[in-house]
Amino acid sequence: MKKSPLKVIVTITLIVVALLVLLVVLVNRDSESFGREFDEAPSTEGQPTYGDSDAPVTVVEFGDYKCPGCKVWDESIFPQLEADYIDNGDVQFSYVNVLFHENESVLASLAAEAVYAQNPEAYWDFHHALFEDQPENQQAVWVTTDKIEEIADGIEEIDTEALMEDVEEALADDIESNPLMNELVIDDDLRKEFEVDSTPTIMINNVMVEDPFDYEVIQDAIDEALGE
C-alpha cells in the first residue's frame, strides 16, 4: 500500500525538525562545555595588551604575581597561545591584576603598572620576568622594593630610578589621587564584575574557561570564536 503524499511530507518534516533540534542541543552543549558564559567580555580599555589590536578574539588573564599557578600558566600555556594565535593576529591578550596576596600583590602590580605607564613596550618583559623570578617557596616575603629594582635593572628599556620613584609615590598617596593605584581599583572592579575567585582565570571573549590549564579546551574555544 502506498503512503499518501501528505503523510510522507509530515514524516519528512518531523524528521527535519528533530534533526534541527538535535543540532541546536549539540551546538549549545559544545559551547557550554568550555566554561561559564557572560553577557560580554571584560573591557580591555587601558589594560596592557599584547598582539594585534584588531584581532577577532580577546583572551584575558586575571592573574596574581604571587600565584604559583599563574607562574605555571605563564611559562607553559602562554607560549603556546602566543605561537598558535597571537603571532598570527587571531588573538589579542590582556592581563588584569588580582590582589589576593595583599601587600606583595599590590607592590608587584603597582610596579607592573608603572612600567606600562613608562614604556608599554617593556611591560611584557617585566611581566614575564616577575613570574620567572617567583620562588617555589613563598613562605617568606618575596616581592620587595629591592626585588622590583633588581628585576627592572635587568631590562634595558626600563628607567629603574623613575620606576622606583613612581612606585614609592603610589604607595604613599591616597588611592583616589594616584593614577597607578587607580588602575588597581579598575582591575579589582573587573574582578568583582566577573566574579573571579581564583587565579589564573582565563576568559576567551565572554567565556570563562573551566580549566585554564587545559590547552585543548582553550584552543577549541578560540577556534569556535574564530568560526572554525
Side-chain angles (χ1 to χ4, degrees):
M1 180 183 294
K2 293 183 178 180
K3 293 183 178 179
S4 69
L6 180 59
K7 288 184 177 179
V8 172
I9 292 172
V10 170
T11 301
I12 293 174
T13 300
L14 290 174
I15 292 173
V16 171
V17 170
L19 289 173
L20 288 174
V21 170
L22 178 61
L23 179 61
V24 169
V25 170
L26 290 175
V27 168
N28 288 337
R29 182 181 300 167
D30 287 341
S31 297
E32 292 172 0
S33 68
F34 299 136
R36 183 179 176 186
E37 186 172 336
F38 290 79
D39 291 335
E40 58 185 8
S43 171
T44 59
E45 182 179 356
Q47 298 290 352
T49 55
Y50 181 60
D52 190 340
S53 59
D54 295 322
V57 176
T58 60
V59 174
V60 174
E61 176 189 0
F62 288 85
D64 188 326
Y65 290 113
K66 280 277 293 180
C67 162
C70 297
K71 174 184 173 73
V72 173
W73 197 93
D74 189 71
E75 294 178 347
S76 62
I77 302 297
F78 178 82
Q80 298 180 73
L81 181 71
E82 181 181 26
D84 293 341
Y85 296 102
I86 298 176
D87 286 347
N88 65 11
D90 285 337
V91 160
Q92 183 187 68
F93 179 77
S94 188
Y95 184 83
V96 176
N97 296 295
V98 177
L99 311 175
F100 285 157
H101 295 272
E102 300 178 342
N103 292 341
E104 288 184 82
S105 299
V106 169
L107 178 55
S109 298
L110 272 178
E113 291 290 347
V115 170
Y116 182 67
Q118 181 188 117
N119 182 0
E121 298 299 320
Y123 171 86
W124 292 106
D125 288 338
F126 186 77
H127 170 90
H128 296 308
L130 277 171
F131 283 124
E132 183 179 355
D133 215 66
Q134 183 192 110
E136 290 185 10
N137 184 353
Q138 297 193 62
Q139 291 181 350
V141 173
W142 161 62
V143 183
T144 64
T145 53
D146 287 343
K147 174 58 65 175
I148 294 299
E149 186 171 5
E150 175 190 324
I151 294 173
D153 274 339
I155 302 172
E156 291 184 3
E157 295 82 4
I158 296 176
D159 182 337
T160 303
E161 183 177 350
L163 168 66
M164 300 312 297
E165 289 178 357
D166 289 342
V167 169
E168 290 173 8
E169 181 180 343
L171 291 172
D173 284 350
D174 294 330
I175 291 177
E176 293 81 3
S177 63
N178 188 277
L180 293 180
M181 290 296 287
N182 190 53
E183 291 299 324
L184 300 192
V185 173
I186 292 172
D187 287 358
D188 197 52
D189 286 343
L190 278 174
R191 177 192 66 79
K192 293 173 183 175
E193 179 182 353
F194 289 91
E195 301 174 14
V196 172
D197 58 10
S198 63
T199 54
T201 288
I202 304 300
M203 292 196 64
I204 298 166
N205 286 349
N206 64 325
V207 175
M208 183 182 290
V209 296
E210 186 172 343
D211 182 357
F213 297 98
D214 189 335
Y215 187 64
E216 288 187 4
V217 169
I218 291 174
Q219 281 184 304
D220 289 343
I222 293 174
D223 289 343
E224 180 173 289
L226 291 170
E228 298 179 359

